[in-house]
Amino acid sequence: MNVKKKRRLQILETLATELESKPGSKITTAALAKAVGVSEAALYRHFASKAQMFEALIEFAEDAVFGLFNQIMREEKDAITRCHQLVFVMLRFAEKNPGIVRVLMGDILVGEHERLRQRVGRFFARIETQFKQVLREHNLSDKEEAEIGQIVFQAQILVSILRGRLNRFVSEDFKESPATYWNENWVLIKNGLFV
């Protein structure tokens, strides 16, 4: 990895750490530069704006999460188990990357560029699409006529549960993992959602 890429990565890692260690606080470029150990001008040589830094964190989340989703889709064939694991993977990602979750939940994006909020919206829309695909394939493989309304409803509920757990994680300053009791909760969700 060249020096420029290493510095960009260091800036993003430091930004994620700052977002985690200062929940509820804005992160200024001056504070970020100090934490990285460079000048603000040096930050701007790697990123044109703070918005670009947030966008890079969103891109990292997309690459990591959807890479794991693809692995689940290859290895697991049961649709209900896939849904369980897709949510669990996202919850574990959040647990390991709390600073990035602040970005994904929009906590730190207040007052930032609208395109960042839209990008986060597309991230969660893509997760919902993944659930729809899993559920559609399940219905087709069972030779049942896929009820689009039911599939959409189930996918929306799963995303709402996921976002709710992530939001709670952020609003409680990362005190308890969003994956806590997930397996126990899944039994209730599964029985209510896939009857």
Side-chain angles (χ1 to χ4, degrees):
M1 184 181 295
N2 69 31
V3 175
K4 186 171 182 166
K5 285 185 179 180
K6 282 183 184 177
R7 179 64 78 183
R8 280 179 62 92
L9 185 60
Q10 180 191 16
I11 292 167
L12 293 175
E13 288 172 347
T14 304
L15 175 57
T17 300
E18 291 290 296
L19 289 168
E20 177 182 352
S21 65
K22 297 175 179 148
S25 300
K26 283 257 184 217
I27 305 299
T28 65
T29 52
L32 179 60
K34 183 178 179 182
V36 174
V38 298
S39 67
E40 277 188 83
L43 283 182
Y44 288 116
R45 280 196 292 275
H46 297 282
F47 295 96
S49 65
K50 190 166 55 167
Q52 258 191 7
M53 293 176 213
F54 289 142
E55 200 156 12
L57 290 178
I58 296 167
E59 189 174 310
F60 169 79
E62 286 175 334
D63 290 346
V65 168
F66 289 103
L68 293 167
F69 279 13
N70 288 338
Q71 185 177 340
I72 290 167
M73 297 298 286
R74 282 191 306 272
E75 294 173 2
E76 181 57 56
K77 299 305 175 206
D78 179 68
I80 308 304
T81 304
R82 278 180 171 177
C83 290
H84 170 261
Q85 290 180 355
L86 292 172
V87 174
F88 183 70
V89 158
M90 185 64 207
L91 296 176
R92 290 302 305 249
F93 173 84
E95 179 184 342
K96 293 175 192 236
N97 300 281
I100 295 174
V101 176
R102 280 190 69 194
V103 176
L104 294 177
M105 296 315 298
D107 174 64
I108 196 70
L109 299 180
V110 175
E112 294 294 336
H113 295 276
E114 177 62 23
R115 81 170 191 278
L116 292 172
R117 288 183 357 88
Q118 292 170 353
R119 179 85 186 263
V120 167
R122 287 193 303 271
F123 174 80
F124 284 102
R126 192 172 165 196
I127 291 174
E128 185 174 316
T129 298
Q130 184 74 66
F131 285 125
K132 289 176 188 173
Q133 176 188 345
V134 167
L135 296 167
R136 191 174 302 117
E137 287 174 5
H138 170 70
N139 284 341
L140 294 176
S141 69
D142 283 352
K143 304 288 188 255
E144 295 176 12
E145 185 175 325
E147 293 184 29
I148 299 301
Q150 180 180 345
I151 290 169
V152 169
F153 172 75
Q154 289 168 328
Q156 288 173 343
I157 292 294
L158 289 169
V159 171
S160 295
I161 290 167
L162 173 60
R163 289 185 82 147
R165 290 178 84 96
L166 297 178
N167 190 49
R168 181 174 178 216
F169 183 52
V170 170
S171 68
E172 293 179 353
D173 298 335
F174 320 122
K175 287 184 177 79
E176 182 178 58
S177 166
T180 301
Y181 301 118
W182 173 243
N183 290 328
E184 295 83 353
N185 293 164
W186 177 250
V187 173
L188 298 172
I189 293 164
K190 178 177 70 169
N191 291 340
L193 200 55
F194 300 109
V195 175

